[in-house]
Amino acid sequence: MAEPVAFGADGLTPFLSIPPFAGASVALWARSEPGTCFAIDSLEDSEGRVWVSKREAGPYCTDCGVRTSIAQEEALFVLPSGEGFAPRDGFTVRFGLMACETLTPLKTGGAPRLHLAWLPRAHLPERGRLSLRFLVSRHSMLLGQPERQRELLERVNDELEEAGLEVTLDAVAELPDASAETRFWTTELDELSALRERAPPALDATVDIVFAGCLRHDDPFFGPPVPVDGFTPRVGGGAGPASAVFMPGLRCDAFSRGPAQWPLDAYARVLAHELGHFLGVYHSVETDGTTDLLSDTGEQNIMNPNPSRAGARGWSPSQRRQLLSHPWVRPAHALIPAPD
Ligand SMILES: [Zn+2]
């Protein structure tokens, strides 16, 4: 853990050096102050190759060689090896301020400071295990239905099998007084955070799956609020506001009819897709044609922006590497019999 650094008058931190390490990936844990948004402005490896050369407007960079998302207050940036990038040889990184309201680079400085810690990972596990907690509101078809919750978990595991990842359900809690409708946007996450306010304290390295009411993505620059099938506030979860996966319980157009009865297969596929986002995987192809930076993915992939589509199945080896690089994924060891 290094000393905190300041964002200077140009909105940029100094260059920070991550030393070489023995391993497959590294997670950068960056913390600033509430209300501060920032992004990676520069990423250069030990051979002088530049992977990120500037901050770009938007929720994540599209032109950079290593894609990461905008951070608000605090975030985990998980950087696996692959596609030419080898973090184990060491690299330098610099962060820059972003305007939370417009997702554009801020060229003026301020007082905020940034703390950076890095966590190298020596080996990618052959198979990984991720712990989940279900937070269930009264708007969800899963409330008081342990059998159905288990069935959902099984089907999520069917979707994750190819990626070598298994999820376990380690706690379930009810969410009292969850509102019937929640609106949010990339950096407008207060309503999502409020859903979890009355939940028991978060568990260590456990992803909260919040089964809420109707969920509407409300982009202030683009049309009316749109109902979504699932939402993960930041690609690369694990730190920062509303760091969880949110699933709808109500259809936005049918409040009076109570919890929607989503077909479990489709619902499980969306949940697996959202877990992909939480662990750092982007859409294989965005609706505007932007592709991810992985050379082995295409439209026929569970990270298709519409995971309910029939052909949206499966994970590629690069996606698997990204999933298993997240520090919350633990090795899934085979069971070794205890000695007598
Ligand atoms: Zn998605």
Side-chain angles (χ1 to χ4, degrees):
M1 180 84 201
E3 289 296 302
V5 293
F7 290 97
D10 49 3
L12 299 170
T13 66
F15 288 98
L16 304 162
S17 287
I18 308 300
F21 58 90
S25 68
V26 64
L28 304 179
W29 179 30
R31 285 178 300 142
S32 187
E33 289 158 30
T36 302
C37 290
F38 57 95
I40 292 183
D41 177 81
S42 166
L43 181 68
E44 190 174 330
D45 68 20
S46 60
E47 289 172 21
R49 283 179 299 188
V50 176
W51 297 89
V52 178
S53 61
K54 64 175 180 2
R55 287 162 287 166
E56 286 175 35
Y60 59 85
C61 64
T62 53
D63 287 341
C64 49
V66 171
R67 182 170 291 170
T68 55
S69 291
I70 188 171
Q72 188 176 17
E73 186 176 338
E74 181 185 344
L76 273 181
F77 298 83
V78 182
L79 307 176
S81 315
E83 309 293 335
F85 180 62
R88 75 174 72 84
D89 299 328
F91 56 93
T92 60
V93 61
R94 177 170 76 177
F95 295 86
L97 291 173
M98 299 283 285
C100 297
E101 299 74 22
T102 54
L103 314 186
T104 49
L106 266 183
K107 299 280 163 70
T108 55
R113 304 215 291 175
L114 182 94
H115 301 250
L116 183 68
W118 56 92
L119 184 71
R121 176 159 213 160
H123 306 283
L124 282 197
E126 191 57 40
R127 294 188 58 78
R129 184 170 292 161
L130 180 67
S131 164
L132 306 185
R133 177 173 73 159
F134 283 0
L135 298 176
V136 190
S137 79
R138 66 189 165 89
H139 308 300
S140 170
M141 64 179 182
L142 298 173
L143 186 72
Q145 302 286 336
E147 206 48 52
R148 225 160 174 190
Q149 295 169 9
R150 265 196 297 278
E151 204 181 333
L152 175 63
L153 194 80
E154 266 173 42
R155 298 198 190 187
V156 170
N157 273 323
D158 289 343
E159 297 294 336
L160 295 172
E161 171 72 31
E162 187 182 352
L165 183 65
E166 183 197 343
V167 288
T168 56
L169 183 56
D170 293 319
V172 178
E174 287 187 21
L175 271 190
D177 301 332
S179 61
E181 178 172 329
T182 307
R183 295 188 182 213
F184 49 84
W185 184 59
T186 310
T187 47
E188 291 288 340
L189 303 171
D190 290 353
E191 290 190 23
L192 291 179
S193 297
L195 285 173
R196 273 205 307 181
E197 259 163 26
R198 299 194 56 194
L203 304 172
D204 188 37
T206 296
V207 184
D208 276 344
I209 314 295
V210 180
F211 297 95
C214 137
L215 298 176
R216 279 189 204 267
H217 189 258
D218 190 2
D219 184 337
F221 303 102
F222 190 78
V226 186
V228 298
D229 294 338
F231 185 66
T232 305
R234 182 174 183 276
V235 176
S243 175
V245 167
F246 296 85
M247 296 292 288
L250 298 172
R251 292 190 196 280
C252 295
D253 53 4
F255 283 169
S256 55
R257 279 182 259 149
Q261 302 302 312
W262 312 88
L264 218 50
D265 272 335
Y267 204 64
R269 196 149 2 136
V270 173
L271 180 45
H273 169 110
E274 296 304 327
L275 286 168
H277 285 320
F278 190 95
L279 297 175
V281 185
Y282 291 86
H283 287 156
S284 49
V285 183
E286 296 287 351
T287 44
D288 68 1
T290 302
T291 57
D292 65 15
L293 301 169
L294 309 174
S295 49
D296 58 4
T297 57
E299 234 176 290
Q300 309 294 315
N301 185 283
I302 194 166
M303 295 314 287
N304 183 295
N306 182 356
S308 319
R309 270 171 49 165
R313 305 299 290 265
W315 305 85
S316 77
S318 307
Q319 288 174 324
R320 175 177 182 276
R321 196 167 54 223
Q322 180 84 48
L323 293 172
L324 299 179
S325 293
H326 194 283
W328 287 15
V329 173
R330 290 162 173 163
H333 295 295
L335 285 176
I336 298 163
D340 295 330

